[in-house]
Amino acid sequence: MAAYEESPPDEGYSEDPLTVGQSGSMPAHLARMTVQERTEYAMMIIALLPTSEVAEIVRRLRPRLYINFFQYLPPEVCLKVLGFLDPVSLINTARASREWMLLALDRKLWEQLYILEGFRVIRSEVVSFEESLNVERPRPSGQNDEEHASKRRATPQRIQPTLHADGDSEMVDVDTAGLKQGSIFGGRMTKEPVSTNVDVPMTSPSSSSARQFPARHSSNFQSRASRRLSSGSTLSSQAASPLASISSLVVVDRSDNKKKLNWQYLYSQRRRLEANWEAEKYTNFQLPHPHHPEEAHEECIYTIQHSGKYLVSGSRDKTLRIWDLNTQRLVRPPLRAHIGSVLCLQFDADPEEDLIVSGSSDATVVLWKFSTGQIIQRLRKAHRESVLNVRFDKRVLVTCSKDKTIKIFNRRPLMAGDLGYPDISQGVNPVATSLNNWGYNPSPNAGLPIKPPYTMIGCLDGHGAAVNAVQIFGNEVVSASGDRTVKIWNWPEQTCIRTLIGHTKGIACVQYDGRRIVSGSSDNEVKVFDKESGLEVASLRAHSNLVRTVQAGFGDLPYSAEEDREDAKAIDHEYFRAVDTGAVSRTVFLQRGRPRNAGSRKPEDITAYGAKLPPGGGGGKFGRIVSGSYDETIIIWRRDKEGVWRAQHTLRQEEAAHAASRAVQEPRRSNDTTTSQPSQSASLPHHGGNLALDVDAPTAPFAPGSELFYRHLVDITLPQGPAALRQALQAHPQVLNYDYLSESIEEMPPSTQQALDAVVVSAVAAQEQLQANLLDSSSWLAPSSTSRGIGAASSSHASTSQPPATSAPVAKSATTQTTSQPLTLVTPQPAVAAAAPAAQTAGHHHHHNAPHHHLPTNMARVFKLQFDARRIICCSQTSVIVGWDFANGDEQIIEASRFFAPIE
């Protein structure tokens, strides 16, 4: 052991990267000391030195303690290191110095961060935007063609070894910029500073931004930017400054001196948009514009789809209408060709496609030219009964019908041997139908006919009831039916791959992304299934009636598939470990009435094992599910910290229509304010958060919009007095529809009953006046559409009867039970096809001499909704389309949103 300690040091290893060797000979007595003894000896000596000498020692030791690795590593290596940082750490890195900021704000680095958050962009928009910025851009005269490619950094910000003398000394004021996440992502740090004596603006936009970035003439910038920067050059303020006259979306890439999309700015605006979704900040709009009610549909709207600036709607009035979302006006007159209600549609405004496909209760499918509205083709024999859904991709058109079948039509000429070409024998072929003859003999397929476009090439038959919805993904079609099953089909082979069972009533809607199947049903639930195993991985229950429409975006990351698979295995192992230890009973699956799992990973909550997805379906932190129901609500589902899906926000169509109508008459005072202004508080459900009473606090144990929620709201509001009740009724006027309010008031002390009654009477009068004004001014629900939508049905629907509305309570009850609905949602049993439960029928009740608390409400069952990165838009039993714009009037978010693809 002694010999080992006296062995020479390892010359091939050093703990100090800057220590080359001994600077001088060491006294023998110091050489015999250990490291700890030398440290104590040095500290004793330093304690005897004057302060000035100690400062000199610190100055000389500083290069060994603080290493700026950006000075020693190539920019490519530095960017690789910075790529492991999260956005907040990257912003803090940019604050360190100007030199670090140049790399920390690299556009490619932020593009990678944008993708790793689960966000997506519309690539075609990015390409066209950058091409438009550089159209006919002259080549800079100072460009050196012989410069070696390896010397041109691929990054737009090249590291400069030396800066101006005062460049590194200027740092961001922490007190001004702040360390809160909101200020980081609300900033306008989109350009490099033009001078070296200003702070980097990382906080929210303000009027000072223009002063911090003074304008420079573009010619000066281009001439200086083309100068070749060497290791000894300094950073010119003009060379570092982008063009101040262009949008913050633009930066100049010094690798090729071209304008490019500023990904750091794009990321910031996307995070601000997501913050609006989280905080429920939005503005409402409606189609048609309230100033042009004559453009509205004449009856209820069954289907919509929007993409980019366009929205197409189909109605019971047998027309399709194309809308411009920017102007809220019709693009052209209504499209008329169907003789029945338009139940479904899909469109693609891309000039290469230029197509609208619509399906109707007249059992036909019509193909329209989007750009002109002309009819391309009419498929008169597509189905025997109502066409309930249509979907198309580049290769095929898929339709489903009330006749229980799914039809496949080719969209391009189809030759023998092509994928999907119908087999002559119409049977299962265990071997290939054609062989490669290498050109020696005529091909056996040479004589087979070419199938023209939109020829039926397949029929998928297997459901026992109406097929209400279909989705296409690659070679697979997913269908949902009133027979309570979801089926996965291989359409080229026309075979059913898997049948999913889980719902207890007919299924109305379905979505498929290749890994997950999301469905909504008459059992009031939204379910998420694992496609590979067919197992249910989440069940979401908060609606009180049929879930008519659903859309999900799980926010998958580039590595989500592998990570979700490993998470599922780990959760299965935890479950089996809990079973082995006795923490979970082996008979837990046999318990009837056991609560459904909404995504919990706890072993006691697991309802199935062996899935390839973890409970909840996996995905990223920005995933969301939006569902619409016959209970007149739209619920935005988000995962909590434990991964469980929760009903985060509840929206109502009629309240959005009221707010959109008022917004035209009462312009917003500021883009930064939320929609919870006092003047608007009577109709928007999320205003409670801004009131003195936190009326939205008890949403955790109760589904927003449910009866239990409103009961709990009454319980916590009445003890606080009339002022609290007035605020609660302004935020949630739906409370007036429940007898529980009047019953609870009767139990209050007599001294407060009179004041509470006065608040209720005032709220009822305000709501009646609001609806009366709305009917007169915006024609939100025209009497003609009401009579046609609720009265005698067309020949394509089963007839219904409605007693005369003699009073408000009776009218509400009758409407709830008999209002017409998409009867195309067929289920095999009458119990499944029931439209509305008796729970929705409000009882008749009076409180003392006060007017009746139930308001005559317009039915607004949600038929179809769609969301993108910025908006939710829905149609319902009314003739108006309403939307929620989470850009909230912010011009910066609106400008950047053209590049945002929806969460997928």
Side-chain angles (χ1 to χ4, degrees):
M1 187 66 180
Y4 176 77
E5 293 179 349
E6 296 177 358
S7 60
D10 184 359
E11 297 179 324
Y13 168 76
S14 174
E15 292 184 352
D16 191 341
L18 297 184
T19 300
V20 179
Q22 300 293 336
S23 59
S25 60
M26 181 183 298
H29 67 280
L30 290 179
R32 291 192 295 268
M33 291 183 181
T34 63
V35 175
Q36 291 78 6
E37 293 174 342
R38 294 177 192 172
T39 303
E40 293 297 330
Y41 186 73
M43 294 302 298
M44 291 174 58
I45 297 177
I46 292 176
L48 301 176
L49 296 177
T51 303
S52 59
E53 297 301 324
V54 175
E56 178 63 19
I57 293 175
V58 172
R59 187 189 66 79
R60 296 172 63 178
L61 290 177
R62 191 176 185 87
R64 294 188 57 182
L65 301 178
Y66 301 97
I67 305 172
N68 183 3
F69 62 91
F70 279 12
Q71 294 181 346
Y72 303 95
L73 298 177
E76 292 81 359
V77 178
C78 295
L79 286 175
K80 185 68 174 178
V81 174
L82 294 176
F84 291 98
L85 297 180
D86 62 271
V88 177
S89 301
L90 200 58
I91 291 294
N92 291 333
T93 301
R95 292 172 170 174
S97 68
R98 306 244 176 214
E99 185 181 11
W100 286 35
M101 182 187 68
L102 293 178
L103 272 183
L105 299 183
D106 176 76
R107 54 181 299 273
K108 281 295 183 181
L109 184 62
W110 283 93
E111 179 180 3
Q112 176 185 340
L113 285 173
Y114 184 94
I115 300 301
L116 290 178
E117 290 282 12
F119 300 144
R120 299 291 181 268
V121 292
I122 305 174
R123 285 292 172 184
S124 58
E125 284 287 342
V126 175
V127 172
S128 61
F129 176 73
E130 293 185 345
E131 288 178 351
S132 65
L133 293 175
N134 298 283
V135 173
E136 298 180 358
R137 180 180 176 85
R139 182 181 180 87
S141 58
Q143 184 70 39
N144 187 354
D145 292 336
E146 297 180 356
E147 182 179 11
H148 196 275
S150 63
K151 295 184 180 180
R152 300 181 188 177
R153 299 301 185 195
T155 61
Q157 294 89 3
R158 297 183 63 178
I159 294 301
Q160 308 303 322
T162 59
L163 300 173
H164 287 302
D166 59 342
D168 275 341
S169 62
E170 294 296 330
M171 308 276 294
V172 173
D173 187 353
V174 177
D175 295 333
T176 302
L179 298 177
K180 295 183 179 180
Q181 183 171 340
S183 64
I184 291 176
F185 297 114
R188 292 193 53 149
M189 183 54 206
T190 60
K191 309 177 180 71
E192 297 172 16
V194 297
S195 62
T196 57
N197 57 356
V198 295
D199 290 340
V200 180
M202 300 303 295
T203 55
S204 59
S206 64
S207 60
S208 61
S209 298
R211 296 191 300 269
Q212 290 172 337
F213 295 101
R216 300 282 180 172
H217 197 274
S218 59
S219 60
N220 293 338
F221 171 78
Q222 294 177 6
S223 62
R224 294 179 181 269
S226 62
R227 182 183 306 167
R228 180 178 178 181
L229 299 175
S230 62
S231 59
S233 64
T234 59
L235 181 62
S236 169
S237 61
Q238 281 84 359
S241 170
L243 299 177
S245 61
I246 59 179
S247 166
S248 298
L249 282 169
V250 182
V251 293
V252 176
D253 189 339
R254 277 195 294 255
S255 64
D256 53 10
N257 204 29
K258 291 185 177 180
K259 301 173 190 174
K260 299 291 181 63
L261 180 64
N262 186 347
W263 282 92
Q264 188 272 335
Y265 181 77
L266 198 69
Y267 177 90
S268 299
Q269 300 310 314
R270 185 61 185 264
R271 286 298 298 267
R272 295 182 63 214
L273 178 60
E274 291 299 322
N276 286 348
W277 280 84
E278 185 73 19
E280 202 176 0
K281 296 180 179 180
Y282 53 75
T283 56
N284 291 112
F285 63 92
Q286 73 173 47
L287 304 174
H289 193 280
H291 288 168
H292 300 276
E294 70 280 357
E295 295 182 350
H297 282 285
E298 298 176 3
E299 299 196 42
C300 62
I301 303 170
Y302 283 134
T303 180
I304 59 169
Q305 184 203 341
H306 67 90
S307 178
K309 61 179 287 190
Y310 297 110
L311 180 144
V312 181
S313 59
S315 168
R316 184 170 176 162
D317 64 9
K318 309 173 186 178
T319 67
L320 289 86
R321 302 185 187 224
I322 304 176
W323 306 87
D324 187 323
L325 290 175
N326 295 333
T327 63
Q328 300 170 241
R329 301 289 306 278
L330 283 178
V331 174
R332 61 179 54 85
L335 308 183
R336 305 178 185 272
H338 290 290
I339 58 175
S341 302
V342 180
L343 303 179
C344 53
L345 61 86
Q346 184 183 352
F347 80 94
D348 191 341
D350 191 315
E352 295 183 0
E353 296 291 336
D354 197 18
L355 178 66
I356 305 175
V357 178
S358 60
S360 170
S361 59
D362 60 14
T364 65
V365 175
V366 177
L367 285 70
W368 314 76
K369 197 174 183 65
F370 177 84
S371 58
T372 63
Q374 297 177 343
I375 296 178
I376 301 174
Q377 189 171 344
R378 191 194 306 262
L379 307 179
R380 298 183 181 275
K381 298 181 180 180
H383 289 278
R384 299 187 305 274
E385 296 189 56
S386 300
V387 181
L388 304 185
N389 202 2
V390 294
R391 294 283 101 185
F392 66 81
D393 60 10
K394 299 291 185 181
R395 299 175 296 175
V396 294
L397 165 66
V398 180
T399 64
C400 65
S401 170
K402 193 175 178 180
D403 63 11
K404 309 177 186 180
T405 64
I406 304 167
K407 301 289 181 68
I408 313 294
F409 301 86
N410 61 303
R411 293 198 55 215
R412 304 286 184 265
L414 207 62
M415 301 179 61
D418 291 344
L419 183 68
Y421 192 90
D423 182 23
I424 300 175
S425 63
Q426 297 295 325
V428 178
N429 295 281
V431 296
T433 58
S434 61
L435 299 176
N436 193 338
N437 57 13
W438 306 105
Y440 290 107
N441 298 312
S443 171
N445 296 329
L448 296 179
I450 298 177
K451 299 291 183 182
Y454 300 104
T455 300
M456 192 185 77
I457 60 175
C459 179
L460 309 179
D461 195 351
H463 281 293
V467 184
N468 294 318
V470 290
Q471 288 282 302
I472 310 175
F473 190 90
N475 291 343
E476 295 175 336
V477 170
V478 172
S479 58
S481 170
D483 63 7
R484 312 177 186 182
T485 64
V486 175
K487 290 183 180 290
I488 307 173
W489 309 80
N490 183 314
W491 68 259
E493 299 179 1
Q494 300 186 32
T495 57
C496 180
I497 302 174
R498 191 182 302 276
T499 299
L500 308 182
I501 300 175
H503 286 287
T504 58
K505 292 186 179 181
I507 304 173
C509 51
V510 70
Q511 179 180 316
Y512 179 46
D513 64 2
R515 300 174 57 208
R516 314 168 188 86
I517 298 172
V518 183
S519 58
S521 166
S522 293
D523 60 13
N524 308 342
E525 291 189 2
V526 176
K527 291 185 182 292
V528 182
F529 295 92
D530 173 28
K531 178 257 177 179
E532 289 194 34
S533 65
L535 296 174
E536 176 186 316
V537 295
S539 181
L540 288 59
R541 190 178 184 92
H543 287 291
S544 59
N545 208 330
L546 169 115
V547 181
R548 179 64 173 83
T549 175
V550 67
Q551 182 181 344
F554 288 85
D556 285 332
L557 307 180
Y559 49 83
S560 283
E562 296 77 10
E563 189 177 68
D564 290 343
R565 189 180 296 268
E566 294 301 321
D567 285 349
K569 289 181 180 180
I571 293 170
D572 285 349
H573 292 162
E574 288 293 328
Y575 170 77
F576 289 122
R577 186 179 298 110
V579 170
D580 293 339
T581 59
V584 176
S585 172
R586 295 181 181 272
T587 61
V588 67
F589 288 109
L590 302 179
Q591 298 176 5
R592 297 179 62 86
R594 185 176 177 222
R596 299 290 185 178
N597 186 6
S600 173
R601 303 187 175 203
K602 299 178 181 178
E604 60 269 22
D605 296 331
I606 299 298
T607 57
Y609 54 83
K612 307 302 180 184
L613 293 172
K621 62 181 179 180
F622 293 106
R624 66 175 60 96
I625 298 175
V626 181
S627 58
S629 169
Y630 274 14
D631 64 10
E632 308 179 25
T633 65
I634 295 172
I635 294 181
I636 303 176
W637 305 82
R638 294 291 297 269
R639 281 186 287 251
D640 60 15
K641 295 181 179 179
E642 297 180 355
V644 180
W645 289 101
R646 304 289 186 186
Q648 185 183 47
H649 304 304
T650 299
L651 311 175
R652 287 185 172 269
Q653 192 263 6
E654 71 273 18
E655 294 170 349
H658 295 167
S661 179
R662 286 199 311 272
V664 177
Q665 303 173 2
E666 300 177 7
R668 297 175 60 87
R669 298 178 181 179
S670 171
N671 288 338
D672 295 330
T673 59
T674 67
T675 51
S676 55
Q677 295 293 338
S679 63
Q680 302 174 356
S681 61
S683 64
L684 296 182
H686 65 291
H687 291 176
N690 289 344
L691 300 171
L693 169 67
D694 188 6
V695 295
D696 284 336
T699 58
F702 309 109
S706 66
E707 183 176 359
L708 291 177
F709 170 80
Y710 293 123
R711 283 174 172 265
H712 189 73
L713 182 61
V714 170
D715 291 339
I716 67 172
T717 301
L718 292 185
Q720 302 184 49
L725 177 60
R726 183 180 298 105
Q727 293 175 345
L729 292 180
Q730 289 176 348
H732 298 277
Q734 301 88 348
V735 176
L736 295 169
N737 295 331
Y738 293 92
D739 295 334
Y740 186 74
L741 174 61
S742 56
E743 295 170 358
S744 300
I745 292 177
E746 290 176 352
E747 298 175 359
M748 298 297 294
S751 58
T752 61
Q753 282 190 18
Q754 186 176 1
L756 295 175
D757 286 341
V759 172
V760 173
V761 172
S762 176
V764 171
Q767 287 296 313
E768 290 176 346
Q769 182 64 35
L770 180 64
Q771 292 194 4
N773 294 340
L774 183 65
L775 291 174
D776 294 337
S777 61
S778 64
S779 299
W780 175 67
L781 183 62
S784 61
S785 74
T786 306
S787 62
R788 282 187 290 265
I790 300 178
S794 64
S795 59
S796 61
H797 294 270
S799 62
T800 59
S801 61
Q802 178 179 354
T806 58
S807 65
V810 177
K812 181 181 188 306
S813 177
T815 306
T816 303
Q817 294 296 329
T818 63
T819 301
S820 66
Q821 62 180 2
L823 298 180
T824 53
L825 294 178
V826 180
T827 52
Q829 300 180 8
V832 178
Q840 276 200 344
T841 306
H844 192 82
H845 179 77
H846 292 274
H847 178 66
H848 300 295
N849 296 325
H852 199 282
H853 294 171
H854 297 301
L855 298 178
T857 58
N858 295 313
M859 292 299 293
R861 291 174 173 173
V862 179
F863 287 156
K864 183 70 175 179
L865 66 79
Q866 182 187 350
F867 72 83
D868 56 15
R870 174 181 161 188
R871 308 180 183 96
I872 298 176
I873 304 178
C874 85
C875 65
S876 67
Q877 231 166 323
T878 70
S879 60
V880 171
I881 301 167
V882 298
W884 296 260
D885 187 351
F886 289 87
N888 198 33
D890 190 295
E891 294 297 333
Q892 293 175 316
I893 298 178
I894 294 173
E895 178 190 31
S897 64
R898 60 177 288 197
F899 304 103
F900 297 157
I903 298 290
E904 297 179 352

